[in-house]
Structure formats: C-alpha cells, structure tokens
Amino acid sequence: MVQLYNLHPFGSQRVVPCRQEPGRFCCGRDVLFVASAAGSCRVEAFAVREQGHCEPLGAFATLGPVRRMAHSPAGDYLVTIEEKGKASFLRAYVNWRCMSAGSARVCVRMVGHKMEESYRETLKEQMSIVEMPLSDPPLCISCCPVSGDLLVGCKNKLVMFCLKYVVINQNLTVLDFERSLILHIDNLIPAEVAFCARHVAITTELDVLILKLELAQPHAARTERRGAAPGGPLRAGVKDEGPSTHALQLELDEFIICQKPVELLGEESARCEIPVTLESTELPTEHTERFQVRYLLFRCFTPDQSPFGFCEETKLHSLQLLPVYRTGSSGTAQEETENKRELLSLFCFFSLPHAGYLYSLGKSVELISTYQYSEKSEQAVLTRQFLHVITSESLQCFTVRCSAAAARDEDPYIDTTVKACPPVALDVCTLRMQLFIGPRAICHFKNHIILLTKADTEDITERRKPARRMLSGKTDSIKSRTNSESEPGWNLYIINTVSTIQLYREMVDYSRTYENARTESCIHLLSEAHLLVRAALMEPRFLRPDEEEELLRAFRESCAALGDCYSRCDTKDYHLALPYYRMSGLPVAEVLKRTVSEGDETQTYERGFMFYLTHSLNEDLNEELTKESANKVLQIFCVADPVQLPHILCSPCMGNVCPSAAVRCLQQVEKVMPSVVLTLTKASMALRMGDLMMYEHEMDSYKETVLACGFARQPRLLRQHQDGAVVPTELAAHLKETQPALLVAAAVALHENSKMDLEEADSFFKMLCSGSERAVPQLLVDFWEALLVVCSQEETLQQLLLRLISQYVWRISKRQLPETKPLKTTEDLINSCNHFGLIFPWVTCIMSVGSPSDKDCHEDISKLQTVWWNKLLPELCERTRLAGSDCPALISSLQETLSVVAVELELRDFLSLLPEDGTAAFFLPHLLHCSQKQLPPCNSEGLRGPNTRSGLREKSEGNEQ
C-alpha cells in the first residue's frame, strides 16, 4: 500500500506585507488578520484575492498585545483576548471593514449597552469595539461558524455569548452579544475550546471532552448536573483501578505511576466523572431556551503516549471542529444566509506531538482516522480535503476521510448496488512533505494556507541563499519593510494550494504506474482521487459554474476508473464494480470496450466484471446492444458463466443477438443443467428464427402449469420495460394467438409471485390486444377471473370484484360482446371459486324478460350474482350518478332490477341490500312498493319452482298495473 505519494498539492507562495513581526493571525472568509508580536498593540487586515494576492485593508489599535484571536463568518466580527498590565480583556471588533474605507470613527461600549442612544444615522459607518467583562480571566475562545455565538474558556467554566442583531431603525442593524449560558466544569483548566452547532470541545494538556448542548424538556430544571467530583480529570474513568490509596502513597517516593489512557465514546463518556453544571444568565422569558448536556467523547492521554518513549512535553494542541453542510443547501458568504445552511456532519480533530486523531460526531461517535507523524508536530489544521501539519522544518499534507463519512450521512443508500464511496477506514497517506525553515504557526481558508516561519540565528545565512528548500513559484518582495532588525528571521506566507482538478489529474497519472500490476495500490490511489473530487463537490458555494461542471466530469471519470479496477482485480470487494460503473454513467457497450480485448479468445473475466455484467443485463435497461456487442456478451457467458445464459438472453439489451448462435449455446447448457426457463428461452429463439417446429417441440416438453411457473421465474420472456412502459414480447404475442389459456395462467403466476401488479397487467394485455387505452379486452377479463380463483389478498380481491362488476355492467348496458370467447364460463367460475354462487331467481327473471338482443349478454348477466349485490348496486348507482341523464340505459336497467327485487324480497332483506350512499328519493318508491306488497303464500319450493319466471313476470306486471 502506498504511504507517501510525493505529489504536489502546494502551488505558488506569496509573502504577506506585514509592517511588524506577526504574533497571532487568523482567517476570515476573504480576509487575513495579523496581530503584531509582543511589544506592539496593532492588528492589520489584508484582503486575500485569487492566487494568494494580498491587499492591505487597514489597521486598528488594540488595548494590549493579542494572546488569542478568532474570526466569526456569521456576523463578520473579530474577537480577541488582549493583555494590559496583568489583566486580560475580551473584546469583539464589529463593523471593522469601515476602517478600509478610510473611516476613523470608533465606538467602544460594554456588552448589552443600550445602543439606541449611541447610534445615529450619521454614525453607522464606524467600527464598534464591544468589551465583554468576565469574573475570571479568559483563556481561550471559539466562534460558532453556524450561528456566530461566542464561547470563552475560563478556569473551571465556559461562558457562552449569543450573537444578536439589534435593529436600530429600518436602515441600521447593529451586532451585539448577550451572555446566555455558563458551563461550570470542576477541576478543569481549558487549554483550547472549539464551538460549533451547540457542540463544545475542550482540551486540557492531556484530556479531551466533547459535549453537546441539547434543548431540555419543558419540565426540565434550569440546571442539570452530571456525575460527581471525586477527583481531577486525570483520574477520571479509572476510579476502581490500581492499588489502594494507602499503598499508592507508600510507593510514590520510589516510583512514577503512569495512568493508562482512557477512551469513552457516546453514552459511556458520561462515566468520565467530570461534572458539568449549566447556569442560564439570560433574563427569564417564555422564549428562553433551556439546555441540558449530553456527553459525546472523553479521552485521556498519558505523558508517555509517544512512539519515542517518555516525553515531558507531550501536550494536546490544534483542537478543531469541522462542519460539513448538506450539498446544495442555500448559503453564500453573506451573513443573512449563513445560518440557513443545513449542517450535515461534524468532525473533531486534536493532536499530540506525534499523532493526530479525527473523530466523527454524527449519529454515533467514532474514531475514523489516526495520523502518525514522522517528527514532532508544532500545529495542525484540518480541512475537508486535507490535514496540514507543520513540524520543526516541514509542512506536511495528509489525506482525510471527512467526505467519505459525510457522503454516508447525506445518502443512506451510498453502499448499495446503485452507489458507492471509498470506505471511511481507508488508510491515510501523506501527499507531500515540503521543507521549510522554522514553521511556527498555520491556518487555512478556502484554498490557501497561511504559514508563519521564524528562522533561528544559525539559519539566517542559509535562508539568504537560493531557496532550494522553499516552494518554487512566485514570491512577492516585502517593500514595506524598513526595519533592519525585523528583516531576518521571520516571514508570513500565503501558500496557494493547487486546484482540485490539477491534483486529481496528478493522482490519476500516478495510479497508472500500478495499473498493470492489478494491485490494491491502484485502487487506493484512485479512491484518494475520488474522495478529493467528492469533497470539493460537497462545498459547491465556493465553486464557479465551470469549475463545478469540470469536477462533475472528473467525478464520473473517477467512478469509471474505479469500476475498471474492481472489474479487473481479484479483490474481495469485486462487487463494487457495479455501483461505480453505474455512477460513471457509462453504457454497457462502453464498459465492454474498456474491459474486453478485441480478438483475444483466451481472455479470462474476473468476478467483478461478471458481477457488473450479470446485474446490468438482468435489469430493464433502455439500451440495445449492437449485433457485435450482443454476440460478444453471448460468448463471454458461454465461457465464464453459462448457467446465466437463459436469463441473459431475455435481457432487452440482447435483442440483436444471433438466435441460432444462442440456441447452440443453450443446447450445450441443457446437457449439464436443463430447466424450464432454458426451454422457454430456446422456444423464444426458435420463434425469432421462424422455426415453428422447434418452437412446438420445446413448448411440448413441459405441462402447461410447469411452463407457467417458468414464466414466473423469468418474466422478461413475456414482458419487458421500455421507457417506463410494459411491452409484450414476441413470444407473448404468439401465445395470445395460439395458447391464450397458457398466457393468462402465466400472467396469474407472475402476479402471485409479485412480478406483475394489476396496473402492469392492465397495460400488458391492452397493449398485447392492440386496443385503446380505455377499452378492456376479453383477455384481461379472463386474467381477472382466473386471478380471482387463486388470489388470497383481501385488498386485491376487492379490486378484482369491482373491476369485473364494472366491466360486466358496461358490456350489458352497451350490449357489447367480448371480442374473443371467454376462457371460463359461469359454470366454471361457480365450480372453482367461492366468490360465485348459485344463480338467483331474480337474475334469471331479468334475463327472461329482456329483449331478444339481450340474449347475447346472458353470460355476463349470469356472472352478476345477491353475493355480489353489495358490489353491483353501488357500481350501478355510481355510474348512474356520474352519467346522469346521458345514460338512460343504466337508469332503466337499475329501475327494472330494483322493481323485480322489491317484489321478490322481504322489506328487511331489501333494505340490507341498498347502498349507504344512495339517494333516498331514488330508492323510496321501491321501498314503498316492497312494504305495501301482499304476496300469496309460497309453496315449499318457493321461487325455485319450474314456473318461477312466469310467476315473477305476472306479479311484476300486476304490480305495475
């Protein structure tokens, strides 16, 4: 596996024209702030343009030397910890950009001061310095990039200031802060803090604690306390380990006891025994948010946690929370839209001198990468694409896995046969180790790295020699420097990292050295290139439209290259060839050209390629291979996987395959593994060849029920999907003419095996019978009737009953005869389905009193049986209601039916048959007729006597008179 690429992620470098030696610096979204070293009280602001060009924006004085500083993208303010005398001050510089416009107005105020009295329309173009007094000296600070809130670390507590937008008038909005929450943490002196989206990370010299502030339940108390305070953080998590306190005290004079490192993740981290108490400092209102603490991570290191043995200088540094936003979410550089971006993932990085640790803080907290440095690190900075680390003499660039983790948070289907992404656990590697003289501090924004170097005295001479150890490229001279004492020893560089596309191309070129070896190293290099492009695409707000399009092309290209690797290499992850080829957008024919060698009869095909080809051809792709490509696929499967041939030949992609060659291959397979699907496939090929004798021979090999099961195993023998529509095959059209019963039985088998639903069956039979979209062919009615016999799902049964009733009523009212003879008669349905019962006398009566033209509808009428009455009557009512006076035949039929039934049934039975949603005025005459009738006593045979029809007719005529 490749561990050091020696690529070129760093491009040109430019010198920042600082007037005095930098002490602290930080970056904004398009600006660099530089605070002078000790002895000077000044901050310079520089605009950073393309390719690292720096333009001075202005400068402003500070109260004292700056010890810490940070910039907030939300609100665009700079916050500092300054010293004056022996006191520390926390100050925020708001609206500082007016300094670059030449304005010298400065307003100094205390936090929370009523600004309506201080601000007037004429004074809106002024910088405000907001002083935030604290009861304890501030030690460290962090600004939330999502909300702009400020977190300040003090001894044994953290103080949170909420960023507020105060509207002075319709033309003036001013930033202010409100101290809203204090986190009391016993026995903890924070060295660094990081704050993002209510996640709080704290480090001491050797401990890391990550918390999340969550909204408390309405009944929750104002404060919540977790754990106890039995000891300091160094003893946290190991309370019950080791010897007794008395024995330990006796040994302290002779031995040094080193505590074991501890890592507690998720809910387990609450056992760290570091109590946190929340104190709300906002004025209580009904809208006040109350928080509770959730522990996410605790990790305790020991002084000897170093590959070089015991080290007294082992301390944590470079704590950072890195947010990743959802791709495509709204967001620009403007503060108004900054808060609208949706946070997708959050990562935490911290480092020891010789190792760095990267954690994902998503649904679960997990360590995703560990970085081992070749020498002691001074500082590190994490970006979405890289980890940059400075040592005593070099700038190092490492790969990161944030985009791999964020991709899985954004898309839960990333690890399927449709999509893929390199794993989070992919080994980290070093892209570059660039030599520098005396790196001291580093920060990063966009595609720039700001590096402060300070050379030792003995290095000054070396520094003035030709810069063999520096980056090649353009370096600006520092014309503004006049002090000879500050000339040697230090420089502040802006190093422009190369474009993602340029570095991607270099990675791809490098991977070709391993291409012929077919090793994991080639996959690893291409995975790195893929993640590089993916990380850039996850932050489209920093891309120009042409850059985004170029990155998308590179993304598809990298997917194709990874597909090639997994299809050619014999690796355990061979199945990834399928999703990567799919993500590349390449058609099957193009993949064949990339993978299959022309004229090489001895070529072998690896598992990845066969996995891709099998799954692709087994799906309904809207791609038809040429005759040459289809025959090549046939040859591939004959050699590599002949058992799959019957299924592959049914693919819509294989429509141009040579049928005679396909039959020869199938005959070879049949000798080893015969099957009904293979036989049906041979019959299909014979039909395509026009060899009806072979076709009939194959179809006669199995009984009809077995053939129907064969169609269920391979539905594409009967139907295929093209552009989202169901299209019958040539074999299905032939069965319609020669064996319609087998076709219907096969369709029923497809439905019962969840291979075809009712809507697909409708489209299939309508297209097969070349009818209109609205017309219902008899073959579809035959399918409904056959399905009704075997179906057991109540919902489907109800649909079938309604469809059949609707069709029967339509044909009766329209006197429409079926175009083909029904496959099942009334007697067949009565004998095979419990949904059909004996024909009731009133149905016989309807048929007997009808006109001679109605005799043709007797089959449909007889299938309408007082078991379907609850279905028939609502259907008639609904059709009558919709058609209105435009359909007198339906109204007349319904009226006649009700008249006959009202005569024959008792009032209670008649009432039970009426639909609940019927119109009372329509049924009232028939109800009255039924209640007033007086029938003579019936004989024992009732209505089933031989003279029933004539009797009904006479009674009906008499009642009507």
Side-chain angles (χ1 to χ4, degrees), residues 80-145:
T80 63
I81 297 178
E82 304 171 15
E83 285 187 357
K84 185 175 184 181
K86 296 183 179 181
S88 296
F89 298 87
L90 180 65
R91 308 179 101 199
Y93 294 82
V94 180
N95 199 25
W96 56 269
R97 290 183 184 267
C98 66
M99 302 293 292
S100 62
S103 173
R105 294 195 184 105
V106 177
C107 168
V108 182
R109 58 183 172 85
M110 298 291 287
V111 66
H113 178 70
K114 290 185 177 181
M115 292 171 290
E116 293 84 352
E117 302 174 359
S118 302
Y119 281 87
R120 297 193 303 273
E121 183 68 24
T122 56
L123 298 180
K124 66 180 181 179
E125 293 298 328
Q126 65 180 6
M127 183 177 74
S128 297
I129 302 177
V130 183
E131 295 190 343
M132 292 174 269
L134 296 167
S135 59
D136 296 299
L139 302 176
C140 45
I141 51 177
S142 177
C143 301
C144 175

Side-chain angles (χ1 to χ4, degrees), residues 93 140 215 233 393 457 487 517 544 641 679 683 729 798 872 950:
Y93 294 82
C140 45
L215 290 177
E393 58 181 18
T457 305
E487 171 64 24
R544 299 190 307 270
D641 196 0
T679 298
T729 63
Q798 298 302 321
L872 169 63
S950 59

